[in-house]
Amino acid sequence: MAYATGALKLIETSYPLPESIKEYKDVVYKTTDTLPLKLDIYHSKDIKENAPLLIFVHGGAWKKGKKEDYWHYLISYAKKGYVTATVQYRLSGVAKYPAQLNDVEDAIIWLKQHTNDYHINNKKIGLIGGSAGAHLSMMTAFSNTGAIETNSENSSKVQALVNIYGPSDLTTEKAKNEGSVKFLFGKTFEEAPELYRRASPLFLVTKDAPPTLTFHGTLDELVPVAQSDRLHKKLQEVGVPSYYHKLKGWPHTMDIAVKVNEYCQYYMDDFFEKYIPLVNSLTNK
């Protein structure tokens, strides 16, 4: 109601690049048959040491959205001393799943292979996504937990995961009947039940999953909060550090509200400090 009446203060989603921030815009990390895929990278101009990398994956029901959608997070965390990046991936109207997952994984590998060019500490990588972007982030984080070295240039393994109202189970009645989910796969659940299950992060959770921080609103009608309830329970059962914030009275895309965005960043700060801490990246001490 507050949003509808204009009483809700929203974050600014576009404003001039701060003078203190260095931007690498539209860097091509991969070329497909249909288009070049790009990413943007940001860090403080005062950065002295390689810093933890935060990679943001936009939402949009897999069929829309753009990498610039997380501008506010990108700039905020670059100011705090992190290196931040945002990734373009093929939308479902261009290619069907798992193309989107492959793109996110390839972007992480590309960034690891270019750490020295962008002041990246490849042993400290956090993956953050919202909605469909959270689904892709969870799939990436939970699929790449093997014994391969954490800082291997050919691994898309990450050390921390933030899930902002993402769907974790695409086999529920609501999910499998959702038009955007069927369009993502190009098949109905009845035609490919195992595909829907393999693309559900919930069923990929193991004890080797990275520490996970989840935010979800109780009034979310697009992705029911029960999705995150079950995910948090599963992570706890296998012994993975799981931090869950269920925000009462908030709907989907709740973090466009200044109040919620500040809340999320407060707990993200604490989470990152615990698992991928900054170490004087803006000083030479």
Side-chain angles (χ1 to χ4, degrees), residues 14-108:
S14 64
Y15 46 84
L17 180 73
E19 180 63 29
S20 62
I21 301 300
K22 172 70 174 178
E23 177 185 53
Y24 306 85
K25 183 70 175 175
D26 290 332
V27 180
V28 176
Y29 73 87
K30 174 180 178 179
T31 300
T32 69
D33 293 338
T34 52
L35 76 163
L37 296 176
K38 303 172 182 178
L39 50 79
D40 302 336
I41 305 169
Y42 301 88
H43 63 66
S44 170
K45 290 180 179 178
D46 295 329
I47 198 165
K48 304 296 182 183
E49 303 289 342
N50 287 357
L53 170 65
L54 303 182
I55 303 171
F56 291 83
V57 186
H58 72 82
W62 304 280
K63 60 184 178 182
K64 59 182 180 179
K66 56 188 186 300
K67 57 182 170 56
E68 292 82 6
D69 288 348
Y70 279 142
W71 174 256
H72 187 72
Y73 283 119
L74 293 161
I75 300 306
S76 178
Y77 277 97
K79 286 181 176 179
K80 293 173 184 178
Y82 295 89
V83 180
T84 64
T86 180
V87 177
Q88 175 190 14
Y89 56 86
R90 282 171 287 177
L91 302 178
S92 53
V94 175
K96 299 307 177 189
Y97 186 88
Q100 298 73 23
L101 174 60
N102 295 338
D103 294 343
V104 174
E105 291 176 330
D106 288 343
I108 295 172

Side-chain angles (χ1 to χ4, degrees), residues 117-278:
D117 297 330
Y118 302 104
H119 299 282
I120 295 169
N121 181 338
N122 64 6
K123 296 181 181 179
K124 296 180 179 181
I125 298 179
L127 189 58
I128 306 97
S131 195
H135 166 262
L136 296 175
S137 296
M138 288 188 283
M139 286 298 300
T140 299
F142 298 159
S143 298
N144 295 278
T145 58
I148 190 167
E149 294 85 355
T150 297
N151 62 343
S152 168
E153 290 185 350
N154 299 312
S155 165
S156 49
K157 186 173 184 177
V158 299
Q159 287 70 54
L161 170 68
V162 179
N163 160 37
I164 307 176
Y165 43 75
S168 63
D169 183 1
L170 301 183
T171 70
T172 66
E173 283 300 313
K174 177 172 175 54
K176 67 187 183 184
N177 290 312
E178 191 72 42
S180 59
V181 176
K182 290 188 280 190
F183 191 63
L184 173 68
F185 297 126
K187 297 179 180 179
T188 65
F189 178 78
E190 288 70 28
E191 292 172 324
E194 190 55 32
L195 175 60
Y196 278 62
R197 183 178 176 84
R198 290 199 309 269
S200 296
L202 181 70
F203 303 118
L204 298 179
V205 171
T206 69
K207 63 179 179 61
D208 298 316
T212 301
L213 171 63
T214 296
F215 300 98
H216 212 129
T218 60
L219 296 185
D220 194 329
E221 295 182 354
L222 184 61
V223 180
V225 71
Q227 292 266 335
S228 289
D229 290 344
R230 294 178 61 202
L231 176 68
H232 177 58
K233 181 179 179 182
K234 182 67 175 291
L235 288 164
Q236 287 186 314
E237 287 174 351
V238 299
V240 174
S242 179
Y243 305 84
Y244 183 22
H245 295 264
K246 189 188 298 190
L247 280 72
K248 187 175 181 180
W250 287 95
H252 204 65
T253 65
M254 59 188 178
D255 55 328
I256 64 170
V258 169
K259 179 179 179 180
V260 176
N261 197 277
E262 290 176 347
Y263 178 95
C264 291
Q265 287 204 42
Y266 178 85
Y267 287 101
M268 287 164 66
D269 289 350
D270 184 65
F271 179 69
F272 295 143
E273 185 59 31
K274 187 184 297 289
Y275 294 105
I276 50 171
L278 285 167

